[in-house]
Amino acid sequence: MKPETIILGGGPAGSSAAILLAQAGYPVTVIEKETFPRFHIGESLLPSANRSFCRLGVLEDIQAGGFLEKRGAEFTTPTRDKEVINQFSDGMRKDLTSAFQVERAKFDHLLLERARGAGAAIEQPARIHQVQSNEGGGWTVSYEKNGQSPQKTARYLIDASGRNRILGKHLKLPDESLPYPKRVAVFAHFRGFPRRPGERAGNIEITRLADGWIWMIPMAGDRTSIGWVSGLQSWKEGSGSPEERFEQTLAETPWLQERLANASRIGPVHMESDYSYSYQNFAGADYFLTGDAACFIDPIFSSGVAFALESGIAAADSIMNHSPQEKGIPLAAQKAYTRRFQKGLQTMRKLTDLFYSDAGYAILMNPKNPFGIVPAFNSVVAGEVRPPFRIRWRLWIILSLYRLNERYHFVPTPPLSPSPQ
Ligand SMILES: Cc1cc2nc3c(=O)[nH]c(=O)nc-3n(C[C@H](O)[C@H](O)[C@H](O)COP(=O)(O)OP(=O)(O)OC[C@H]3O[C@@H](n4cnc5c(N)ncnc54)[C@H](O)[C@@H]3O)c2cc1C
């Protein structure tokens, strides 16, 4: 008998685990509180996510799903006097050259329907309010659905509940506080926002400000996601509604002003706050933490969904590889799972530090290419987060230049303020 798994949450992490388990004939139930399609943030994917789509057998569905192709990332100063374009095809990894910009409402719905089609049971809308570890092994999950409070038991749990982190909070798992200041993100969708020319039309654009940054993510159907990330402290010091302050920040950024002239907002302004955490261990003998339920770092390099998909797949693989053993997932496999994703997390943290430090940002905005360090950087931002040696040592040079610049200031920081300094 194949053991049963309950998956808490039906975002990309939950759906990817469910697809694999169901395809292999394992009984699996996903419990998701929202009715899909629903809005969710996290719209710019990395090329490395395509590996997961191939593994899940959904690449063709995604290609046919009407999502915009993304070929790179562009960094622009607020006054647009400096612009750095990272095309993935210029990277060292020739298999990581393009990705997708996705409207999450459609994307998450597609994946969850694939899980259903593969044979997963989907409880939706159903809000989990309690998880309990059973004495003889396994778990009981209690949830609310249609005014009822049913319970379900299973041998394994996969927490894919995103930043709600149901299991981590329930088990009071030790988490690592990441040394990042708290931040606030305010964002909305627009229509009529002009695209970059030619092959760059699907690129994400990022403009760093003194205490935050702005993203512009083009999507299919003339839709563009625009978001503003601000330090929580400076957010608290300001006044006005999130909507007013968002519009004011966009209006004050010259590079955006001209492009917003004929654009209009087509949905509500959303807000998220207070993020960046990581649990110390991502797995136990009968559970896995996946995606944001395991860790969340700053979204600047768009790694969240790629990590969610990959960790969902790895959790399902581990259950399938080890479930015949009475005692559940062996300690070595639990540790290997944590190590694998912590390693990727460390790489993303180094890039995040580089971006937020003025000295590091100066290096990022003045790319020089001794020893081919720029193609190496392109591959890492394409999602090569556990890079082989030939990319790793080049990344080390970039990070060393940043540390040296912190000390000796040999590369000036480009303008961070919309107005002349
Ligand atoms: C401002 C911001 C910008 C971002 N930009 C990007 C980006 O450009 N690219 C990128 O890759 N990532 C980005 N991210 C990160 C991305 O949103 C997440 O990493 C990704 O969605 C994680 O997927 P997940 O499946 O782990 O969790 P989620 O996508 O959050 O899915 C969790 C699911 O669990 C369900 N759930 C939660 N609690 C319960 C409950 N009690 N009962 C039942 N169901 C429950 C939720 O409804 C949800 O559907 C961004 C994040 C933020 C905050």
Side-chain angles (χ1 to χ4, degrees):
M1 265 279 279
K2 290 174 173 165
E4 169 128 24
T5 301
I6 296 177
I7 300 178
L8 316 177
S15 290
S16 58
I19 290 171
L20 273 197
L21 287 167
Q23 280 171 348
Y26 281 72
V28 53
T29 303
V30 180
I31 306 177
E32 166 57 53
K33 69 178 165 63
E34 304 285 345
T35 302
F36 283 11
R38 55 89 177 93
F39 179 87
H40 201 292
I41 194 59
E43 298 152 325
S44 189
L45 306 193
L46 296 183
S48 62
N50 291 1
R51 293 175 182 154
S52 297
F53 298 146
C54 288
R55 175 72 204 285
L56 296 170
V58 300
L59 183 61
E60 283 180 8
D61 293 354
I62 303 282
Q63 282 165 337
F67 301 113
L68 190 68
E69 190 181 6
K70 166 189 175 187
R71 297 198 180 167
E74 309 198 359
F75 296 87
T76 315
T77 54
T79 43
R80 215 196 150 201
D81 47 4
K82 210 159 188 51
E83 186 172 68
V84 171
I85 302 163
N86 295 105
Q87 290 298 100
F88 298 132
S89 56
D90 296 336
M92 292 178 85
R93 292 295 309 242
K94 295 305 171 198
D95 57 338
L96 295 178
T97 54
S98 86
F100 296 96
Q101 310 282 25
V102 300
E103 202 182 324
R104 284 287 299 274
K106 272 169 88 176
F107 175 76
D108 289 18
H109 191 46
L110 185 155
L111 287 182
L112 193 58
E113 286 310 304
R114 279 304 297 252
R116 194 196 304 274
I122 314 289
E123 291 286 74
Q124 184 187 32
R127 178 182 292 272
I128 299 151
H129 55 80
Q130 201 180 20
V131 285
Q132 226 176 311
S133 158
N134 300 334
E135 254 183 37
W139 299 86
T140 300
V141 177
S142 312
Y143 54 99
E144 284 164 28
K145 190 183 177 196
N146 299 331
Q148 311 278 308
S149 295
Q151 289 190 329
K152 203 159 177 39
T153 56
R155 175 77 181 88
Y156 291 105
L157 268 197
I158 294 180
D159 187 359
S161 62
R163 294 189 300 135
N164 273 7
R165 307 189 255 164
I166 294 175
L167 198 55
K169 285 180 184 167
H170 169 78
L171 296 177
K172 296 191 172 59
L173 295 174
D175 58 355
E176 196 193 342
S177 67
L178 301 181
Y180 296 118
K182 292 183 175 167
R183 297 197 169 96
V184 173
V186 192
F187 41 92
H189 284 177
F190 291 76
R191 207 179 282 296
F193 188 78
R195 304 270 151 106
R196 309 306 291 137
E199 290 218 324
R200 293 162 52 198
N203 287 358
I204 182 172
E205 294 179 69
I206 290 163
T207 294
R208 222 206 94 178
L209 306 174
D211 185 25
W213 50 285
I214 292 171
W215 79 68
M216 289 147 270
I217 300 174
M219 290 189 282
D222 191 28
R223 186 181 284 261
T224 302
S225 166
I226 302 183
W228 166 43
V229 177
S230 157
L232 182 63
Q233 196 49 43
S234 43
W235 175 265
K236 281 182 178 164
E237 285 160 11
S239 61
S241 70
E243 192 173 323
E244 285 163 356
R245 294 170 68 181
F246 179 54
E247 281 172 1
Q248 189 186 343
T249 301
L250 301 188
E252 281 171 357
T253 308
W255 167 223
L256 274 170
Q257 260 170 21
E258 25 175 296
R259 295 172 78 195
L260 278 166
N262 296 315
S264 50
R265 183 153 63 77
I266 52 170
V269 171
H270 301 267
M271 188 170 160
E272 302 264 354
S273 61
D274 193 3
Y275 37 92
S276 282
Y277 53 82
S278 173
Y279 286 104
Q280 287 173 13
N281 296 305
F282 295 170
D286 50 8
Y287 71 85
F288 289 90
L289 309 182
T290 57
D292 283 4
C295 71
F296 182 81
I297 53 165
D298 196 279
I300 173 63
F301 287 104
S302 306
S303 57
V305 173
F307 166 63
L309 293 164
E310 199 184 329
S311 57
I313 289 171
D317 274 338
S318 208
I319 288 173
M320 294 189 290
N321 290 339
H322 299 290
S323 58
Q325 288 165 250
E326 274 282 297
K327 289 184 183 151
I329 310 298
L331 189 61
Q334 297 168 32
K335 286 189 171 169
Y337 176 86
T338 301
R339 233 185 356 258
R340 171 176 170 185
F341 293 108
Q342 290 279 13
K343 217 170 165 188
L345 180 66
Q346 272 168 21
T347 306
M348 291 322 292
R349 283 180 58 183
K350 285 176 189 160
L351 293 189
T352 303
D353 292 345
L354 177 91
F355 176 79
Y356 279 107
S357 135
D358 288 355
Y361 181 64
I363 299 292
L364 181 76
M365 293 302 283
N366 289 280
K368 301 278 181 293
N369 196 23
F371 312 114
I373 59 176
V374 171
F377 181 78
N378 279 353
S379 294
V380 179
V381 296
E384 187 60 279
V385 294
R386 291 178 296 276
F389 182 69
R390 70 195 175 98
I391 294 178
R392 215 164 51 234
W393 70 261
R394 291 178 165 97
L395 181 62
W396 180 85
I397 292 183
I398 296 170
L399 296 170
S400 302
L401 284 171
Y402 141 46
R403 294 290 175 206
L404 285 171
N405 198 36
E406 256 184 342
R407 197 157 181 175
Y408 299 111
H409 311 288
F410 52 91
V411 182
T413 306
L416 298 173
S417 162
S419 46
Q421 287 168 321

